[in-house]
Amino acid sequence: MQRIGFVIFPAFQVMGFTAITAFEIANLVAGEPFYEITLLSENGGPIRSSAGFNVETEAFSDRSFDTLFIGAGSELHPASPTLTAYIRGAMTSLQRIAAPCLGAFSLAEAGLLDGRRVSTHWQYAAELQARFPTLKVEQDRIYIIDGPIWTSAGMTATIDLALAMVEHDLGVEVARSVARKLVVYHRRAGGQSQYSALLELDPKSDRIQNALHYAKAHLRNELSVEELAEVARLSPRQFSRAFRAETGQSPAKAIEHLRVEAARELIGDGRHAMDEIANETGFADRERMRRAFLRVLGQPPQTIRRHARAAAQASA
């Protein structure tokens, strides 16, 4: 049995409970109570969430756990001395400690992340790195496993982190079954971007949105301005002007970002050769794909693949 302590505090973000749901479903799939969840807080008793309802907790004690989750809130607040002391003391008996989203700050304040690779919500990654310069903050990662330390990006990435733990503990088939029941991806690569190219572009008109969704579904096409303009039912000149006005980018740059995003997902999956990925995502050849990755991500496809393999091995 895996005993999991889940630390919460006033105004904790309830989205973090998605990890608990993943473990609950894993128990159902496994046919036995493999995971035992205990909600913890400094003083125990009812703790009010950011959504306004209370949950009952046990007070910190010397009770041992296999895994400790540090919850996070919607806003960044310093960890209390009591929480910091509890984290340090718990590490002596834990198999692993997880800090989704802003929880990474609590681990950093406890001195557990020095020299380690970590992830956190993209909006706070620069602040985490500035406050704790010995850390190696990788702000574009869904989750990172560095030894016994598991950190992840925004709140929904808690699901990815929990599924990775389920796969580590109970095997890939159980994790896949849990993901299907939750209607989520079984495994977004740990190296996958926190960002979505389509969400970043955020076009306002239906015409530009339709053109972008068409492009994402037809990346193997040339996707010239003329082709996209036809989908948008505009002249090429009107389309280029409207596209830049709504997205702040040229069509060519936006398409490159969509291709890089799609290629990165395939690279993280680990089942496709680089030449196949380049062809499937419209780059035509590996060198063209490599140059695009350097422009958009600042690192080549081979580095993305190494990171994805390292994350898979760490969770195996």
Side-chain angles (χ1 to χ4, degrees):
M1 175 177 286
Q2 266 278 333
R3 298 160 300 172
I4 299 179
F6 200 101
V7 176
I8 61 175
F9 40 80
F12 72 92
Q13 172 55 251
V14 294
M15 180 66 79
F17 276 2
T18 54
I20 295 177
T21 301
F23 297 130
E24 174 191 1
I25 300 300
N27 284 343
L28 294 176
V29 172
E32 61 177 331
F34 182 81
Y35 293 105
E36 179 186 84
I37 310 293
T38 303
L39 297 182
L40 304 169
S41 66
E42 290 190 18
N43 300 309
I47 300 294
R48 194 170 184 82
S49 73
S50 60
F53 60 82
N54 292 341
V55 296
E56 197 66 30
T57 65
E58 293 185 12
F60 292 163
S61 67
D62 57 2
R63 179 181 176 183
S64 63
F65 295 95
D66 302 298
T67 299
L68 191 67
F69 259 84
I70 307 301
S74 301
E75 299 178 356
L76 183 58
H77 298 289
S80 70
T82 302
L83 175 58
T84 297
Y86 179 70
I87 291 172
R88 289 172 178 163
M91 277 301 295
T92 60
S93 60
L94 289 172
Q95 292 179 12
R96 61 196 174 199
I97 187 167
C101 197
L102 301 184
F105 282 83
S106 296
L107 297 192
E109 289 168 8
L112 302 185
L113 300 184
D114 293 348
R116 292 190 182 274
R117 297 166 47 247
V118 298
S119 182
T120 189
H121 192 288
W122 62 267
Q123 193 173 359
Y124 294 91
E127 182 174 351
L128 181 63
Q129 185 66 81
R131 286 179 54 185
F132 303 97
T134 62
L135 277 58
K136 301 173 183 176
V137 181
E138 299 183 19
Q139 64 176 342
D140 201 31
R141 303 289 298 280
I142 292 292
Y143 66 84
I144 291 176
I145 306 169
D146 189 335
I149 310 293
W150 299 51
T151 55
S152 69
M155 285 297 178
T156 58
T158 307
I159 301 175
D160 299 271
L161 200 67
L163 286 174
M165 288 184 177
V166 171
E167 182 171 337
H168 178 273
D169 299 335
L170 296 171
V172 63
E173 291 304 321
V174 172
R176 284 176 180 161
S177 182
V178 172
R180 284 195 296 269
K181 290 181 181 296
L182 292 175
V183 195
V184 297
Y185 289 109
H186 158 228
R187 184 192 294 150
R188 288 191 295 172
Q192 185 173 326
S193 175
Q194 294 190 40
Y195 309 98
S196 163
L198 285 178
L199 289 176
E200 286 292 300
L201 291 167
D202 193 26
K204 303 300 185 293
S205 71
D206 290 343
R207 290 185 173 187
I208 303 302
Q209 287 179 17
N210 290 339
L212 281 169
H213 284 290
Y214 171 87
K216 188 172 178 64
H218 298 83
L219 290 176
R220 294 186 68 173
N221 291 9
E222 181 183 349
L223 297 178
S224 64
V225 169
E226 289 74 19
E227 182 179 355
L228 296 174
E230 184 177 349
V231 174
R233 298 182 180 179
L234 294 169
S235 72
R237 185 175 180 179
Q238 288 174 319
F239 175 77
S240 294
R241 186 166 56 244
F243 192 96
R244 187 177 287 277
E246 292 191 30
T247 69
Q249 295 185 17
S250 68
K253 183 177 180 181
I255 297 306
E256 181 175 74
H257 279 248
L258 288 174
R259 285 188 164 126
V260 167
E261 182 175 75
R264 184 173 188 169
E265 291 183 19
L266 291 173
I267 290 169
D269 185 74
R271 295 180 297 175
H272 307 276
M274 289 295 188
D275 288 331
E276 180 185 357
I277 293 171
N279 184 60
E280 191 67 27
T281 54
F283 285 114
D285 61 71
R286 294 177 61 172
E287 179 56 26
R288 185 179 171 194
M289 182 171 72
R290 188 187 72 83
R291 292 197 300 267
F293 267 64
L294 290 173
R295 282 192 296 270
V296 175
L297 302 176
Q299 53 188 348
Q302 291 79 4
T303 299
I304 303 296
R305 174 149 285 177
R306 283 198 300 271
H307 285 164
R309 285 173 175 169
Q313 290 171 358
S315 61

